[in-house]
Amino acid sequence: MKRDETDILIAGGGLAGLTAAAALGTAGFHVTLVDPTPQVTHADDAGADLRTTAFLQPAQQFLEAAGLWTALAPHAAPLQVMRIVDAAVEPHVMRDFDAKDISDKPFGWNLPNWLLRREIVARLETLPNVDFRPEVGFDRMVARTKNAIVTLSDATQVTAKLVIGADGRNSAVRQAQGIRTQTLRYGQKALTFAVTHTSPHNNISTEIHRSGGPFTLVPLPDHEGKPCSAVVWMESGAEVQRLANLPQGALENAANERSAWTYGPLNLVSKRMVWPIISQVADRLTAPRTALVAEAAHVMPPVGAQGLNMSLRDLDCLLELAKAQPGDLGSAAMLNAYARKRHPDIMLRVAGIDALNRASIAGNPMVQNMRARGIEALYGITPIRRSLMQLGLGAG
């Protein structure tokens, strides 16, 4: 059987896989990207991903190097202030973490996922060294001394020096390499949708805590001349399913009450989507000729905008190692270096987000009071506040 040859095969055409292909292709590597699903690049297409993603400062720099940011910037809503509100105590505790305390740039920028897909796919079409194959998936692979032979779902084969598993929390690449995961389940789900409101968001991302998980309003560009935000509403699985099935007016009433009327009346302007909340970490990040990235390697609750930003740190690490020694692509030395660099950061951030999420779930009044006092204490000590903001951006 004739085999195509490539430097890098990426399995998974989600945001992480698409961005990996753009970054590695821009760096000059020959890349084959496969994904078993059709690419959806418009908001009204069936199966469109209506969630949003907040890119923090280091992620924006990575996107710029990949040739993506110029196209994305006009659609991005800046995140200047991260506001935390504990509405479980009286009076409510509210503290603003302002990016100007540590930087002359916003913390990050928020973009709709369907639009990200559209612009990244458009970028891939300009790169002759990137072969993107939607509706073709990873089937199996055999790792050899100098390369790997990958068999795809259409029965074709590709020889690659490095295989990147960017194919999600149920990664076929990870399973093919016999890598297990450690999974924590919280009994939570997230309901996501977009709303317009009467008061401007002023580029403030607002995270409101009571119990069951945070209710987060993330700035979006105006919709039909009205201020607009993305909502991520975390609650128990049963409660999220109930909310997802409410008539529009009833959901809006519930969202207004849960948001403490932060921006005035909220009006639903998108479809609703439901996502399970887990923490999951792969036992290993590598196998012969294979590196795991993004949700194939780690999954976290959507707290603190860490998810995709951690994924881009994985990609940045792989890219720097690949550029440093292109002749060593996919070798044991390169993969061992990747695991050494990424594993401590992944474990630190997964543990931190797990602790924050457990605190946000708490329904016990004593725990809620401790949570509120903790917010006040951390905010009140300037060096600690600044250190936490830097850590959230990816420093340290």
Side-chain angles (χ1 to χ4, degrees):
M1 178 186 293
K2 180 180 180 299
R3 300 187 187 112
D4 295 330
E5 293 186 4
T6 191
D7 293 327
I8 302 166
L9 183 133
I10 302 170
L15 293 181
L18 289 168
T19 307
L24 291 161
T26 299
F29 294 97
H30 289 272
V31 178
T32 299
L33 171 63
V34 299
D35 187 80
T37 62
Q39 269 304 306
V40 177
T41 55
H42 293 89
D44 53 357
D45 288 347
D49 186 349
L50 301 176
R51 294 173 297 173
T52 64
T53 295
F55 290 100
L56 302 177
Q57 287 181 19
Q60 182 267 335
Q61 295 158 16
F62 183 81
L63 295 173
E64 191 166 34
L68 294 168
W69 188 246
T70 298
L72 295 174
H75 309 284
L79 307 178
Q80 181 64 36
V81 174
M82 300 293 189
R83 175 173 291 166
I84 299 179
V85 180
D86 199 315
V89 298
E90 292 293 345
H92 295 175
V93 172
M94 182 176 74
R95 294 293 182 269
D96 286 352
F97 295 80
D98 196 324
K100 70 181 182 183
D101 287 348
I102 59 170
S103 173
D104 58 358
K105 295 181 179 180
F107 284 114
W109 298 262
N110 199 42
L111 286 140
N113 286 5
W114 66 266
L115 186 143
L116 286 165
R117 291 176 186 272
R118 184 189 73 189
E119 297 302 330
I120 301 172
V121 169
R123 170 62 178 163
L124 297 184
E125 291 172 350
T126 71
L127 296 171
N129 51 324
V130 175
D131 177 12
F132 178 30
R133 306 185 190 182
E135 301 185 63
V136 176
F138 172 96
D139 183 43
R140 60 188 183 275
M141 67 178 285
V142 176
R144 305 191 302 185
T145 303
K146 294 185 178 181
N147 56 31
I149 300 172
V150 181
T151 303
L152 304 176
S153 60
D154 62 358
T156 61
Q157 290 187 327
V158 177
T159 300
K161 297 175 184 176
L162 172 64
V163 176
I164 296 178
D167 48 346
R169 60 185 67 185
N170 298 314
S171 169
V173 173
R174 188 184 66 226
Q175 294 173 25
Q177 293 291 46
I179 300 175
R180 297 182 179 182
T181 61
Q182 303 297 320
T183 305
L184 290 172
R185 304 186 185 279
Y186 301 95
Q188 286 174 298
K189 291 183 179 179
L191 178 65
T192 62
F193 51 90
V195 293
T196 56
H197 36 82
T198 53
S199 298
H201 50 57
N202 295 321
N203 298 325
I204 299 172
S205 180
T206 303
E207 193 171 280
I208 303 163
H209 296 262
R210 282 185 180 167
S211 62
F215 179 102
T216 307
L217 290 152
V218 188
L220 286 173
D222 287 359
H223 175 77
E224 297 181 351
K226 298 178 181 178
C228 186
S229 295
V231 172
V232 181
W233 190 348
M234 292 167 59
E235 266 290 357
S236 69
E239 176 63 6
V240 165
Q241 289 298 152
R242 184 189 74 82
L243 292 166
N245 293 325
L246 288 176
Q248 179 172 336
L251 176 64
E252 290 172 345
N253 289 338
N256 286 324
E257 193 278 330
R258 182 62 179 82
S259 70
W261 296 86
T262 298
Y263 296 139
L266 304 179
N267 297 292
L268 184 70
V269 292
S270 77
K271 292 181 282 187
R272 313 167 207 183
M273 301 184 76
V274 173
W275 301 90
I277 302 300
I278 64 171
S279 284
Q280 180 172 284
V281 181
D283 287 350
R284 292 180 286 126
L285 296 179
T286 65
R289 294 284 157 188
T290 305
L292 301 181
V293 302
E295 289 201 342
H298 46 76
V299 183
M300 296 180 298
V303 176
Q306 291 297 306
L308 188 63
N309 289 277
M310 265 186 63
S311 302
L312 296 190
R313 284 197 286 276
D314 299 341
L315 302 181
D316 188 46
C317 181
L318 276 179
L319 177 61
E320 290 306 309
L321 290 168
K323 290 194 300 184
Q325 291 185 296
D328 212 22
L329 189 64
S331 69
M334 175 190 171
L335 294 172
N336 288 339
Y338 171 66
R340 284 197 308 272
K341 289 174 179 290
R342 290 301 302 137
H343 184 262
D345 180 60
I346 289 170
M347 298 307 294
L348 172 66
R349 293 177 190 278
V350 169
I353 294 300
D354 172 72
L356 288 172
N357 189 44
R358 291 181 186 277
S360 76
I361 293 172
N364 183 296
M366 183 178 295
V367 177
Q368 291 174 341
N369 188 63
M370 291 174 60
R371 181 180 66 202
R373 299 290 82 79
I375 293 170
E376 291 181 314
L378 292 174
Y379 181 87
I381 304 173
T382 300
I384 294 178
R385 181 174 76 249
R386 290 176 175 170
S387 295
L388 285 172
M389 289 191 285
Q390 292 282 8
L391 182 64
L393 287 179

